[in-house]
Amino acid sequence: MAKQYDLDQVLGLIIGAAPSRIVISDPAHKSERFKKLITEPKAGIWQIACYTDKQVFHENVLLGDLEERLFELADGHFRQINAFSAGAEHIVLISKKGICMYKVKRNGNTSDAPLPDNSHNRKKRYLLEEGKTIPPLIDMGIFTAEGKVINSMQGKYRQINRFIEVIDDEVSRLDKESINVIDFGCGKSYLTFIVYYYLKEIRGLDPHVIGLDLKKDVIEKCNAAARKYGYDGLNFETGDISGYEAPFDVDMVITLHACDTATDHALYNAIKWNARMIFSVPCCQHELNAQIKAEHLTAVTRYGIIKERFSALATDAIRADLLEACGYKAQILEFIDMEGTPKNLLIRAVRRGEKNSWIKSRESGGSRISERQQAMLEEVNALNSEFSFEPTLLKLLDFR
């Protein structure tokens, strides 16, 4: 009889056996976008081929990220894994509850004993450690009361940790004891609570965090939860992103799934406040899709899905360039969001100096524009000219 394992354990064992090919198949639901995943090593990286009924999409990952990425793609979405290493086939059947029945077939003989785990014998240490009492994670149904991750929530647990890791890359460099944070469009605020916990309990900072949303009933519940947890530095307010005035000097702005141009207003506020760090997961980028015209590149607009995706990517490329023009180091990262939807992009921007370039330019009446700022603006203007774009963030910034 095969032995029972969790999916992350199985993937660690398989990858540790140095496979030449991993096939993930048997979709858990008819509605699954991908019908099969095939993973193979390619010149120092691992290529994951994701097959739909009619197309195949490829992505490349490093070995160190392979286990986590395959877990994200497979958890709750597939029922079978077949992996092939020297002289052995690894066979995994996954139940609806995520329990894996794992066998290893060597030279025609099936064995319950897995191959030695040569490279994944250390369990990954997460910033939000299992075994600790983290009240928001318990109320979210991710942790038990004893701090153990509920098996069916392993994927969401990893996703939340990944977001905190993205933030930690920059917060760990702070040279101050307190931090002021605005979370625009916080909604039910699951992540706002987690960010507060991370800043206070893990980083040992004195956080002052405001969550902003339009829904009054949601804000009331969030404030009640903050008091229940004893999070004295966390408050929620009802208000609109556009025109919001911060009550303190802002160190960090977070905006997750602010719809369409609400993201632009959030980014504009962050720039106007000279925020040191910005973390934004955009949503519903409709604005440029409605504007796009392509006199010379009509293939981009001929097919609806291509037009939509190109417009969304162009939106975020323009936002990142404008952040660079404002004196931020901007990155666009792949990010699996909290709702388990397909891949999203996360914009991470970190101010390069004590005061961002946009503020310096405004203070000088537009005369202090650096070469880099000018180059980024030229890139944006070239894209706008080619496709007739008029992005909201550019209008708001009103470069002079």
Side-chain angles (χ1 to χ4, degrees):
M1 179 182 293
K3 289 187 178 180
Q4 291 187 10
Y5 293 85
D6 291 336
L7 181 57
D8 56 346
Q9 292 176 299
V10 166
L11 288 171
L13 290 167
I14 288 174
I15 294 171
S20 59
R21 182 180 175 91
I22 302 172
V23 180
I24 302 176
S25 60
D26 190 10
H29 309 96
K30 291 182 180 179
S31 60
E32 296 290 351
R33 181 189 180 198
F34 297 127
K35 310 306 176 185
K36 180 174 64 176
L37 311 174
I38 296 179
T39 304
E40 297 175 303
K42 301 273 186 181
I45 53 90
W46 286 77
Q47 185 176 85
I48 305 173
C50 305
Y51 291 82
T52 67
D53 284 329
K54 297 181 179 179
Q55 294 176 291
V56 58
F57 299 89
H58 295 91
E59 63 176 280
N60 297 326
V61 300
L62 298 173
L63 176 61
D65 299 324
L66 181 60
E67 179 185 333
E68 185 163 355
R69 183 63 183 130
L70 288 181
F71 183 93
E72 291 167 347
L73 288 167
D75 185 37
H77 300 290
F78 291 93
R79 295 281 180 253
Q80 185 167 338
I81 301 174
N82 296 82
F84 305 88
S85 59
E89 178 183 1
H90 305 252
I91 305 167
V92 184
L93 300 179
I94 308 168
S95 73
K96 291 181 180 180
K97 294 184 178 181
I99 300 299
C100 301
M101 304 303 293
Y102 177 34
K103 296 181 180 181
V104 179
K105 190 176 181 180
R106 299 189 185 92
N107 299 322
N109 297 316
T110 300
S111 168
D112 294 341
L115 291 175
D117 180 6
N118 296 320
S119 62
H120 285 66
N121 52 5
R122 292 177 300 168
K123 188 173 182 178
K124 180 171 179 177
R125 289 289 301 274
Y126 290 107
L127 286 167
L128 303 172
E129 289 187 79
E130 187 174 6
K132 289 192 174 182
T133 301
I134 304 178
L137 289 181
I138 294 172
D139 285 352
M140 291 166 66
I142 293 175
F143 273 12
T144 65
E146 295 75 31
K148 180 176 174 56
V149 180
I150 294 172
N151 187 62
S152 62
M153 302 299 288
Q154 287 280 354
K156 186 152 290 190
Y157 171 62
R158 288 175 181 240
Q159 291 162 12
I160 291 173
N161 270 287
R162 175 57 181 150
F163 181 75
I164 295 301
E165 286 170 357
V166 170
I167 291 178
D168 187 63
D169 286 345
E170 302 306 327
V171 172
S172 61
R173 298 188 177 98
L174 280 179
D175 55 359
K176 54 190 297 187
E177 295 181 353
S178 64
I179 184 169
N180 298 329
V181 182
I182 300 285
D183 184 355
F184 280 122
C186 60
K188 293 181 181 179
S189 305
Y190 294 139
L191 270 184
T192 317
F193 289 113
I194 297 300
V195 168
Y196 184 89
Y197 172 88
Y198 153 76
L199 293 172
K200 187 173 183 65
E201 302 299 334
I202 297 177
R203 277 294 161 197
L205 298 171
D206 178 22
H208 304 276
V209 182
I210 293 176
L212 187 73
D213 201 87
L214 291 170
K215 299 176 183 177
K216 185 177 179 180
D217 59 331
V218 170
I219 292 301
E220 289 175 351
K221 291 178 181 177
C222 290
N223 276 320
R227 303 293 80 82
K228 168 187 164 185
Y229 299 147
Y231 291 176
D232 296 334
L234 174 58
N235 293 286
F236 296 90
E237 299 178 10
T238 304
D240 193 345
I241 291 174
S242 178
Y244 179 77
E245 295 297 330
F248 44 51
D249 291 335
V250 180
D251 296 301
M252 180 194 301
V253 168
I254 299 172
T255 168
L256 303 182
H257 304 121
C259 190
D260 201 14
T261 57
T263 293
D264 299 295
H265 286 278
L267 294 177
Y268 172 65
N269 278 352
I271 294 165
K272 183 174 64 173
W273 294 333
N274 196 40
R276 178 168 178 165
M277 294 168 280
I278 304 169
F279 303 93
S280 176
V281 178
C283 180
C284 308
Q285 299 101 315
H286 297 312
E287 182 184 39
L288 300 193
N289 188 42
Q291 297 174 358
I292 188 170
K293 297 176 185 177
E295 181 179 349
H296 305 294
L297 300 172
T298 52
V300 170
T301 58
R302 181 174 295 120
Y303 311 101
I305 191 169
I306 300 298
K307 177 186 174 186
E308 178 184 350
R309 292 183 182 177
F310 176 81
S311 298
L313 291 171
T315 299
D316 290 334
I318 288 171
R319 287 167 173 163
D321 265 12
L322 289 174
L323 285 164
E324 287 277 350
C326 289
Y328 288 82
K329 177 184 177 182
Q331 297 171 287
I332 298 182
L333 311 174
E334 287 186 350
F335 179 68
I336 305 298
D337 81 358
M338 297 304 107
E339 303 303 321
T341 58
K343 269 188 302 185
N344 283 293
L345 299 181
L346 182 148
I347 300 174
R348 177 170 66 188
V350 181
R351 196 183 68 222
R352 293 178 183 271
E354 288 301 312
K355 188 179 289 187
N356 71 50
S357 302
W358 182 81
I359 292 177
K360 290 178 181 178
S361 178
R362 304 291 284 192
E363 290 175 345
S364 68
S367 61
R368 295 180 63 181
I369 297 180
S370 68
E371 289 184 9
R372 181 170 184 78
Q373 188 177 30
Q374 188 62 43
M376 292 297 102
L377 289 174
E378 287 176 1
E379 281 190 8
V380 170
N381 289 331
L383 196 57
N384 292 342
S385 176
E386 182 65 41
F387 296 103
S388 301
F389 291 149
E390 296 181 8
T392 290
L393 183 56
L394 183 60
K395 295 176 189 175
L396 291 170
L397 290 170
D398 186 26
F399 281 97
R400 298 173 184 174

